């Protein structure tokens, strides 16, 4: 077992640290090898299907990565420099009104899905009504400017899709907040989630910023790569006529894309590029995919169960799924996404 040197006995000797290789270093190494050896790799994998799949994979990653990086930087800044009491001061005391304000606050205080869960917990720990905290949890990763701009870039010339995503996601957050205010019970949330959390010390803010951004990038980057791989596999392995069937049967397409959003668990800054790569699908199922994904997926279910308790997650996640699908379809019909 490794031991650190006794700095008291050896004042002139520095403490040694073990270097750990994380997923970020592995991803950078793979990308560097791919860039330097692209000629050799093209000769080795000179198969039409592989070329198509690799093109889709690289396109999704390259388009989404800048928005993903920007998103995790904003998320880290919020965790380090924006105290939860800022929202507490501006939220109305009445739960119904607080839900609306908290949902709109997601536009000004963006963050990824992973970051919104601890922020919501901190809000509850500082006395904010759970309904408002949960509305912010759902709105922050879905209606912020980074996600909307990424959606506009992924779907050029389709401003109605961006508007429908904003409306459907905001409606999902507010409806779930109001439903919790009406039917939710505090005993469904674990006691530790309601305890007051310590504020970030002034001297630790930059460290918290760096660690939060790095952690979110490692987690979200992994999901982006997984999503890009699945997207490229769908484009190569699944016959185009299958997606044509989903296009002809719009209800089936909506259901399949909603379930796919839950399973893929993509980051909200990157999911639009994956949806855009499925060119054979109509816009409405893609809209459902974009609204459901940031609201409920397997990753979020695990985070919510660990933070607020399983009793909360098994009630909140299924209700969110149904509400998100309904809000997406209604928003798509009203805006004219078809």
């Amino acid at each position: 077992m490794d031991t650190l040197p006794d700095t008291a006995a050896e004042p002139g000797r520095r403490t040694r640290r073990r270097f750990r290789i994380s997923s970020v270093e592995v991803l950078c190494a793979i990308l560097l090898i791919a860039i330097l050896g692209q000629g050799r790799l093209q000769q080795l994998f000179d198969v039409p299907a592989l070329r198509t799949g690799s093109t889709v994979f690289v396109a999704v990653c390259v388009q989404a990565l800048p928005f993903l990086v920007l998103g995790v930087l904003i998320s880290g800044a919020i965790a380090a420099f924006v105290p939860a009491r800022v929202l507490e001061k501006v939220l109305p005391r009445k739960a119904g009104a607080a839900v609306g304000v908290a949902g709109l606050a997601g536009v000004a205080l963006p963050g990824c899905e992973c970051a919104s869960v601890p922020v919501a917990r901190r809000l509850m720990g500082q006395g904010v009504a759970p309904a408002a905290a949960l509305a912010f949890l759902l709105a922050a990763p879905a209606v912020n400017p980074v996600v909307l701009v990424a959606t506009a870039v992924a779907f050029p010339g389709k401003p109605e899709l961006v508007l429908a995503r904003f409306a459907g996601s905001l409606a999902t957050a507010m409806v779930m907040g109001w439903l919790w205010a009406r039917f939710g019970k505090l005993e469904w949330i674990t006691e530790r989630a309601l305890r007051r959390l310590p504020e970030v010390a002034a001297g630790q803010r930059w460290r918290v910023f760096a660690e939060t951004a790095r952690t979110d990038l490692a987690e979200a980057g992994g999901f982006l790569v997984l999503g890009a791989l699945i997207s490229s596999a769908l484009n190569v392995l699944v016959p185009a006529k299958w997606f044509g069937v989903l296009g002809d049967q719009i209800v089936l397409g909506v259901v399949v894309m909603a379930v796919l959003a839950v399973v893929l668990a993509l980051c909200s800054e990157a999911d639009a590029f994956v949806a855009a790569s499925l060119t054979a699908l109509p816009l409405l199922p893609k809209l459902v995919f974009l609204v459901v994904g940031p609201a409920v997926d397997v990753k979020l279910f695990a985070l919510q169960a660990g933070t607020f308790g399983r009793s909360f997650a098994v009630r909140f996640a299924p209700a969110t799924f149904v509400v998100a699908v309904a809000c997406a379809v209604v928003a798509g019909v009203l805006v004219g996404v078809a």
Side-chain angles (χ1 to χ4, degrees):
M1 184 171 131
D2 293 341
T3 58
L4 295 176
D6 187 351
T7 54
E10 302 176 80
R13 189 174 177 181
R14 292 184 178 179
T15 301
R16 291 180 298 175
R17 293 183 179 180
R18 296 178 62 184
F19 176 73
R20 292 184 178 182
I21 299 177
S22 69
S23 58
V24 175
E25 285 79 15
V26 173
L27 177 60
C28 291
I30 293 174
L31 290 176
L32 182 61
I33 293 172
I35 292 172
L36 296 178
Q38 58 180 332
R40 178 63 177 169
L41 291 174
Q42 286 176 353
Q43 295 176 0
L44 185 62
F45 299 106
D46 189 16
V47 180
L50 287 177
R51 286 202 304 269
T52 302
S54 62
T55 299
V56 174
F57 173 79
V58 172
V60 171
C61 289
V62 170
Q63 285 182 305
L65 195 57
F67 297 98
L68 184 62
V69 172
L70 179 59
V72 299
L73 289 177
I74 294 175
S75 174
I78 291 172
F81 302 109
V82 180
R85 62 176 179 270
V86 172
L87 272 180
E88 183 185 4
K89 290 180 179 179
V90 301
L91 289 176
R93 292 183 177 273
K94 201 172 181 180
V99 166
V101 175
L104 292 174
V107 179
L109 297 176
C112 71
E113 299 93 318
C114 300
S116 65
V117 174
V119 171
R121 179 191 174 187
R122 182 178 293 276
L123 290 173
M124 291 183 188
Q126 292 196 347
V128 174
L134 295 175
F136 178 81
L137 181 152
L138 295 175
V143 300
N144 66 73
V146 177
V147 169
L148 297 179
V149 171
T151 306
V153 172
F155 292 91
K158 298 291 182 182
E160 68 276 11
L161 183 68
V162 180
L163 177 59
R165 180 177 193 178
F166 174 83
S169 298
L170 185 60
T172 299
M174 291 187 175
V175 169
M176 285 305 301
W178 288 325
L179 286 177
W180 180 269
R182 178 66 179 84
F183 302 106
K185 298 179 180 179
L186 283 180
E187 54 262 32
W188 294 344
I189 301 176
T190 58
E191 183 181 351
R192 68 176 181 275
L194 300 174
R195 292 175 185 168
R196 189 176 184 86
L197 298 176
E199 291 288 347
V200 178
Q204 297 293 320
R205 287 175 180 169
W206 283 106
R207 181 170 175 265
V208 171
F209 168 75
E211 289 297 325
T212 301
R214 186 178 183 277
T215 301
D216 287 350
L217 179 60
E219 293 180 354
F223 287 112
L224 169 60
V225 172
L226 177 61
L229 285 172
I230 295 175
S231 176
S232 59
L234 289 175
N235 276 273
V236 172
L237 301 178
V238 179
K241 62 181 181 181
W242 288 17
F243 289 110
V245 171
L246 294 180
D248 296 335
Q249 301 184 19
I250 197 69
V251 175
L252 180 61
V254 165
V255 173
V256 169
M257 291 303 288
V259 174
L260 196 63
V262 175
V263 175
L264 289 185
L266 298 177
C267 181
S268 58
E269 284 95 359
D271 57 2
F273 299 96
V274 175
S277 69
L278 304 176
T279 54
L281 282 174
L283 286 180
L284 187 58
K286 293 180 181 180
L287 173 63
V288 172
F289 178 84
L290 297 177
V291 172
V292 172
V296 55
D297 58 37
V298 291
K299 169 182 88 265
L300 276 175
F301 179 84
L303 286 171
Q304 291 171 3
T307 303
F308 303 116
R310 186 178 299 177
S311 181
F312 168 85
V314 296
R315 292 173 172 86
F316 190 76
T320 303
F321 178 82
V322 174
V323 170
V325 173
C327 289
V329 171
V330 171
V333 171
L334 293 178
V335 175
V337 174

